[in-house]
């Protein structure tokens, strides 16, 4: 059950954090669905990748990000990171008195739609090894083979502005082509950085393979929870947005197509 501090003002921003710039793929979906909402985005690039860290470290980093967003007055927190959600959201929900929205790999829709009964998932080590991910997988793996692949190195390349590099294309091929050989017809992107890989993945994957990410589902859930707590912004003007990065500001600016100012901040 989500909690809510009764005194929250609905014009306050939605707080979004990720281990870096990838969570902007989720932010984009939220902004499209809820254009009047104000927001604050934290890119914790300094500590990326989260996916190779221990559960304890991921909890500490998620705690720090949440505390900063709450200090800035956020009314709800979107954990726009699969690794942080699968390792830390239970802790966050117990500790902080605001609603939380998390993101998890979309195993359920893929397992319901697969015809070949083989689906692939690309995610970080931290997500794949989490008990929350294993619990979800166990719910949907009856009669279905789920091929798990760690996306080692992908987040680092994206954080370093090498989204479309030859290095990235080679790495992606080495991860997804073996899954194609095993007959997947769905590829689940289990990391919020990965939707930015879709143009490259489309070139690599056969046409019959469907790529699924969780961005729209997270945006819909954010809207549902804000509605449930009467926290949707009453002001219908376009929302105002603040972006903070503790790594290179330029990479975040670029992924946002230079539409927003990004502030450098140490956190
Ligand atoms: N965007 C994060 C996720 O969704 C990346 C994790 C990482 O930093 O390794 O899992």
């Amino acid at each position: 059950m989500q909690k809510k501090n009764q005194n929250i003002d609905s014009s306050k921003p939605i707080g979004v954090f990720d281990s870096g710039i990838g969570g902007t793929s989720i932010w984009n979906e939220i902004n499209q669905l809820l254009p009047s909402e104000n927001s604050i985005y934290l890119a914790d690039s300094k500590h990326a990748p989260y996916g190779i860290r221990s559960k304890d470290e991921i909890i500490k980093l998620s705690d720090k990000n949440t505390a900063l967003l709450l200090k800035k007055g956020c009314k709800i927190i979107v954990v726009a990171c699969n690794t942080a959600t699968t390792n830390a959201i239970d802790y966050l929900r117990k500790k902080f008195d605001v609603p939380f929205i998390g993101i998890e790999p979309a195993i359920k829709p893929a397992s319901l739609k697969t015809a070949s009964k083989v689906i692939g998932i690309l995610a970080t080590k931290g997500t794949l090894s989490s008990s929350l991910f294993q619990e979800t997988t166990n719910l949907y793996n009856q009669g279905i083979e789920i091929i798990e692949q760690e996306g080692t190195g992908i987040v680092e390349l994206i954080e370093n502005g090498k989204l479309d590099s030859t290095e990235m294309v080679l790495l992606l091929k080495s991860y997804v082509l073996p899954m194609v050989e095993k007959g997947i017809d769905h590829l689940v992107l289990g990391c919020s950085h990965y939707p930015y890989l879709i143009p490259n993945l489309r070139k690599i994957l056969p046409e019959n393979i469907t790529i699924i990410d969780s961005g729209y589902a997270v945006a819909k859930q954010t809207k549902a929870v804000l509605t449930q707590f009467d926290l949707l912004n009453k002001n219908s003007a376009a929302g105002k947005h603040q972006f903070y990065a503790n790594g290179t500001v330029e990479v975040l600016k670029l992924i946002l197509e230079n539409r927003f100012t990004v502030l450098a901040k140490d956190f």
Side-chain angles (χ1 to χ4, degrees):
M1 181 63 196
Q2 299 267 0
K3 295 178 284 181
K4 186 212 146 189
N5 177 334
Q6 296 303 316
N7 305 318
I8 298 179
D9 167 358
S10 61
S11 69
K12 293 289 186 190
I14 295 175
V16 182
F17 78 83
D18 178 40
S19 62
I21 65 173
T24 54
S25 67
I26 312 303
W27 181 89
N28 281 327
E29 299 277 1
I30 295 171
N31 186 235
Q32 248 173 50
L33 191 66
L34 300 165
S36 308
E37 292 297 328
N38 301 308
S39 75
I40 302 180
Y41 182 93
L42 297 185
D44 191 12
S45 304
K46 185 168 133 187
H47 301 103
Y50 280 13
I52 55 168
R53 295 179 180 276
S54 69
K55 184 178 174 78
D56 276 0
E57 283 179 300
I58 297 166
I59 287 176
K60 274 194 193 116
L61 293 167
S62 303
D63 183 308
K64 157 190 79 75
N65 298 334
T66 302
L68 178 54
L69 288 170
L70 293 181
K71 203 171 141 199
K72 290 187 173 293
C74 293
K75 61 185 176 183
I76 186 170
I77 306 293
V78 178
V79 182
C81 175
N82 293 257
T83 314
T85 299
T86 50
N87 285 278
I89 203 155
D90 289 347
Y91 166 92
L92 297 173
R93 286 193 168 125
K94 274 185 206 132
K95 175 161 176 183
F96 297 101
D97 193 24
V98 284
F100 281 89
I101 308 294
I103 178 169
E104 281 186 71
I107 294 286
K108 182 180 173 182
S111 67
L112 294 177
K113 287 182 192 146
T114 178
S116 69
K117 304 292 175 204
V118 189
I119 65 176
I121 159 133
L122 190 61
T124 70
K125 184 178 176 190
T127 294
L128 295 175
S129 63
S130 67
S131 48
L132 189 55
F133 173 77
Q134 288 307 330
E135 278 160 30
T136 309
T137 303
N138 289 339
L139 287 178
Y140 300 107
N141 64 359
Q142 281 82 22
I144 290 169
E145 187 184 355
I146 301 180
I147 303 172
E148 300 175 14
Q149 173 63 55
E150 288 177 14
T152 311
I154 296 177
V155 167
E156 290 90 324
L157 286 177
I158 296 176
E159 289 294 321
N160 287 303
K162 294 183 179 167
L163 181 61
D164 292 318
S165 60
T166 312
E167 222 176 326
M168 179 67 91
V169 173
L170 290 175
L171 197 59
L172 290 179
K173 281 185 177 165
S174 76
Y175 291 153
V176 302
L177 292 180
M179 296 199 260
V180 174
E181 300 239 312
K182 287 183 183 148
I184 62 163
D185 62 357
H186 285 75
L187 176 65
V188 177
L189 302 183
C191 170
S192 58
H193 282 68
Y194 298 174
Y196 289 114
L197 304 171
I198 291 176
N200 272 326
L201 284 170
R202 274 285 44 122
K203 285 185 211 151
I204 297 169
L205 293 170
E207 262 175 39
N208 69 309
I209 295 181
T210 307
I211 301 174
I212 305 195
D213 70 78
S214 319
Y216 181 61
V218 173
K220 271 201 326 199
Q221 180 64 9
T222 306
K223 184 174 180 183
V225 173
L226 287 175
T227 307
Q228 181 193 346
F229 290 119
D230 194 24
L231 280 175
L232 283 171
N233 194 2
K234 312 277 184 294
N235 186 341
S236 59
K240 295 200 173 68
H241 310 291
Q242 298 170 47
F243 291 88
Y244 293 95
N246 59 11
T248 324
V249 168
E250 281 312 313
V251 187
L252 179 53
K253 253 178 153 164
L254 265 182
I255 210 111
L256 292 166
E257 296 168 338
N258 290 311
R259 289 175 299 147
F260 301 98
T261 306
V262 175
L263 301 172
K265 182 172 175 59
D266 198 20
F267 58 91

